[in-house]
Amino acid sequence: MSLPLSHSYSVSTEEFVVIGPSDPIVAMLGGDVMLPCHLSPAMDMENMELRWFRSKFSEAAFIYQNQQEQREEQLAQYAGRTSLVKDFLTQGEAAMRIHKVQAFDNGLYTCLFRKGNFYEEANLELMVAGVGSAPQVRIQGPEEDGIRVMCMASGWFPKPQVQWRALSGEKFLIVEAALVVRDSSSGNVTCSVLNPILGQEKVMAIFIPEPFFPQTSPWKPAFMVTLTVLTLLIFGAAYYTKREHTAKQQERQEREKLHRDKEEDQQTKEKVLKDRVSVTLDPESAHPNLAVSDEKTSVTWKDTCEIGEESGVPSVLGCGAITSGCCFWEVEISKRSRGEWALGVCRGDVNREGWYKELPEKGFWAVGKYGKSLCACDRSGTQLSLRQFPHRIGIFLDLKEGEEGEVSFYNMTDGSHIFSFSLASSSGTLFPYFRLSSEDVFLTICSIVSGPAETPVPLNNPPSSLEEPMSLSEEGFSSGSGVDGALPGAESPLLSCSPEAMFP
């Protein structure tokens, strides 16, 4: 089984492609704008889930589900400002309208359309622009051997381009809001403010009398008095809105981050698939209420079992001890299962008798279903937000000798990462861990379809050939008895795998 890079896998016959505008959409500050997307081939979208979001799936600008707008996950900045254009939903076209556009709206958006388990998405860019007030130019005062002139404007977005010109039309090299004029022959000085997106420009000129220049003026007191009078006669203006990054800088940073994330995700998935191993259940470690199948790959509750406070936690371990290296296995949760369960790894010396909590400090690293939520089994019971609830989970264990390791969980339904725990270098010997907390849960370790894999065996009874593949039978469930070996625990010998067999 391969892991998809960006879209979920589906067997639906009604697959489609989402197409957005190839060029940026320009919107004026304070106005309205539509962000359109359409499907190819065209199909009715009224019963689909439609979502426009920013850089993260959870940063929703608008959500349409069950034929109505959903506001629970919407960002506060878009509350009451977005709506759906429904005119052409039946023809495969939809658009989100943003009312009273703000500077915050500038940037990249993703439109995602989902039908059943299949979804596709497209990216589009919104460029917000605003033309503000005409520039106001005033003489600020003497500066070295010249005169400092200031140019001020307000209401421009993004940061405008400022250009100074002399009376002759010659451009000054400086393109900032302040200019020091040292040549008295310049006469009129013009400040030009330009919006780089819209190409709109506003200018303002000021005349600087020759006596104002210190090097030619014989009377500085007269200069100061005249300067004060001129300053009082010139209108002031508010400073333009400052922004740390322009729209192009934001786009480049987002594209670079997306590229890095994809490369890291691809490397992780390739490593995971390479380290896939065969894992089987150890019936001797199973709770009395659990039934392990004859082929040791499935577990569920027995038809008759004891339920009570004294019955303890119904769990079972995998039969292979893991001490170093990398390995990966997948577990399928039956779609009819509505009960609670947990999957992960635990230390070989943990005490699983009676009731216990599955916490990292107690030697358990697992995720599980509690009620209707998927949670990480940690002290705070972190709830995990997923696009699609998993029916097949991949567990990737990476143990580096003398270094901190990691156990990661993946939703094999859509290929997304669920959660990761860090493992201390002293975590010791680990075993695959499975827990079922109700009768209708059915867990199955998925067989390796990419080629033969080795079966974990005791160190004191090595196989004659490490190339012998594991055989999976089609037999039913047994009661969990008749398997040689001792229960892995603090006082029992652990069933171990040779490094070559466990980590091909």
Side-chain angles (χ1 to χ4, degrees):
M1 175 179 178
S2 60
L3 294 174
L5 291 178
S6 60
H7 303 301
S8 71
Y9 173 78
S10 174
V11 296
S12 171
T13 58
E14 298 187 12
E15 296 184 356
F16 51 82
V17 175
V18 178
I19 302 175
S22 57
D23 297 324
I25 298 173
V26 179
M28 295 294 294
L29 276 172
D32 293 353
V33 66
M34 290 194 304
L35 304 185
C37 287
H38 67 274
L39 301 184
S40 178
M43 61 180 67
D44 190 349
M45 305 166 64
E46 288 185 320
N47 295 319
M48 290 188 183
E49 176 186 346
L50 315 181
R51 179 186 290 251
W52 280 262
F53 60 92
R54 300 302 295 267
S55 58
K56 297 180 180 179
F57 183 81
S58 58
E59 297 178 350
F62 183 85
I63 303 173
Y64 174 82
Q65 191 175 21
N66 298 327
Q67 297 187 343
Q68 62 183 355
E69 178 181 353
Q70 305 293 331
R71 298 185 176 89
E72 292 78 5
E73 301 179 49
Q74 187 180 44
L75 288 176
Q77 293 90 332
Y78 292 99
R81 291 200 305 117
T82 57
S83 60
L84 180 65
V85 180
K86 302 180 180 180
D87 299 350
F88 302 101
L89 283 181
T90 58
Q91 303 174 29
E93 297 183 14
M96 174 184 69
R97 177 180 280 115
I98 302 179
H99 306 270
K100 299 180 180 179
V101 172
Q102 304 174 5
F104 168 82
D105 301 327
N106 186 79
L108 293 178
Y109 290 76
T110 299
C111 56
L112 181 147
F113 298 164
R114 184 201 305 269
K115 185 172 185 180
N117 291 335
F118 182 81
Y119 71 88
E120 276 286 355
E121 59 189 36
N123 296 324
L124 56 156
E125 180 184 6
L126 175 62
M127 300 179 68
V128 177
V131 176
S133 65
Q136 299 295 317
V137 185
R138 64 182 178 87
I139 300 173
Q140 192 175 40
E143 177 79 19
E144 298 177 354
D145 55 348
I147 298 295
R148 175 174 288 273
V149 185
M150 291 294 297
C151 179
M152 297 179 296
S154 62
W156 293 76
F157 185 87
K159 183 179 179 180
Q161 298 175 357
V162 180
Q163 180 68 63
W164 293 92
R165 297 184 181 91
L167 179 62
S168 62
E170 176 187 2
K171 293 183 180 180
F172 291 96
L173 293 179
I174 186 170
V175 288
E176 297 179 354
L179 171 69
V180 177
V181 183
R182 294 183 173 84
D183 186 358
S184 60
S185 64
S186 297
N188 280 2
V189 177
T190 300
C191 175
S192 166
V193 180
L194 172 69
N195 186 300
I197 297 177
L198 302 174
Q200 296 189 25
E201 180 183 37
K202 292 187 178 182
V203 297
M204 178 63 70
I206 187 172
F207 176 73
I208 307 176
E210 185 174 347
F212 275 44
F213 292 88
Q215 67 272 27
T216 60
S217 175
W219 347 273
K220 287 188 179 180
F223 165 77
M224 296 303 299
V225 172
T226 307
L227 175 62
T228 303
V229 173
L230 285 176
T231 302
L232 294 176
L233 295 177
I234 298 175
F235 291 101
Y239 288 97
Y240 57 82
T241 304
K242 295 183 179 180
R243 295 291 173 184
E244 293 183 356
H245 303 285
T246 63
K248 291 185 178 180
Q249 288 174 326
Q250 293 176 351
E251 177 188 0
R252 184 174 65 254
Q253 291 173 354
E254 291 173 355
R255 291 183 186 275
E256 290 175 351
K257 182 178 183 301
L258 179 62
H259 182 67
R260 288 195 305 270
D261 290 345
K262 285 186 176 180
E263 286 184 343
E264 293 173 0
D265 189 52
Q266 178 66 19
Q267 292 172 1
T268 299
K269 290 168 181 174
E270 290 175 353
K271 184 177 181 182
V272 164
L273 290 177
K274 182 181 68 175
D275 297 312
R276 186 190 292 256
V277 297
S278 176
V279 172
T280 56
L281 300 172
D282 179 11
E284 292 294 328
S285 69
H287 186 277
N289 286 348
L290 300 182
V292 177
S293 65
D294 291 341
E295 64 271 22
K296 306 175 190 175
T297 58
S298 298
V299 61
T300 187
W301 275 46
K302 294 179 181 178
D303 293 336
T304 58
C305 57
E306 299 179 2
I307 302 177
E309 295 184 359
E310 69 283 350
S311 61
V313 178
S315 63
V316 62
L317 302 181
C319 71
I322 307 170
T323 57
S324 63
C326 302
C327 57
F328 172 75
W329 63 95
E330 296 178 27
V331 180
E332 184 170 315
I333 302 99
S334 173
K335 291 186 178 180
R336 66 178 177 83
S337 300
R338 297 183 179 180
E340 297 181 348
W341 48 264
L343 298 171
V345 295
C346 71
R347 285 202 314 264
D349 59 355
V350 296
N351 181 7
R352 296 189 299 117
E353 296 182 2
W355 290 101
Y356 55 85
K357 292 185 177 180
E358 296 153 333
L359 299 173
E361 54 265 35
K362 294 185 177 294
F364 295 88
W365 296 268
V367 299
K369 178 176 177 287
Y370 298 88
K372 296 183 179 179
S373 302
L374 190 68
C375 302
C377 298
D378 55 14
R379 182 63 66 179
S380 58
T382 305
Q383 288 197 6
L384 306 176
S385 178
L386 303 178
R387 295 187 182 184
Q388 193 170 0
F389 201 87
H391 291 292
R392 188 166 178 152
I393 291 182
I395 299 109
F396 179 52
L397 182 58
D398 186 1
L399 296 178
K400 303 177 179 67
E401 187 172 352
E403 300 180 16
E404 187 178 81
E406 186 176 69
V407 57
S408 299
F409 300 85
Y410 293 88
N411 183 354
M412 306 306 290
T413 306
D414 60 10
S416 61
H417 174 256
I418 296 176
F419 193 77
S420 291
F421 288 99
S422 295
L423 302 175
S425 58
S426 58
S427 296
T429 302
L430 300 179
F431 284 84
Y433 176 78
F434 310 80
R435 190 254 298 156
L436 298 75
S437 297
S438 61
E439 297 89 333
D440 63 343
V441 180
F442 191 94
L443 303 179
T444 302
I445 301 173
C446 303
S447 27
I448 301 174
V449 298
S450 57
E454 294 75 24
T455 307
V457 296
L459 282 178
N460 58 358
N461 187 20
S464 57
S465 171
L466 294 177
E467 301 299 327
E468 182 181 354
M470 184 175 106
S471 174
L472 299 179
S473 69
E474 298 292 333
E475 298 174 3
F477 284 102
S478 69
S479 62
S481 61
V483 179
D484 295 332
L487 170 66
E491 300 177 0
S492 302
L494 298 175
L495 286 174
S496 305
C497 300
S498 65
E500 294 82 358
M502 194 63 194
F503 313 107

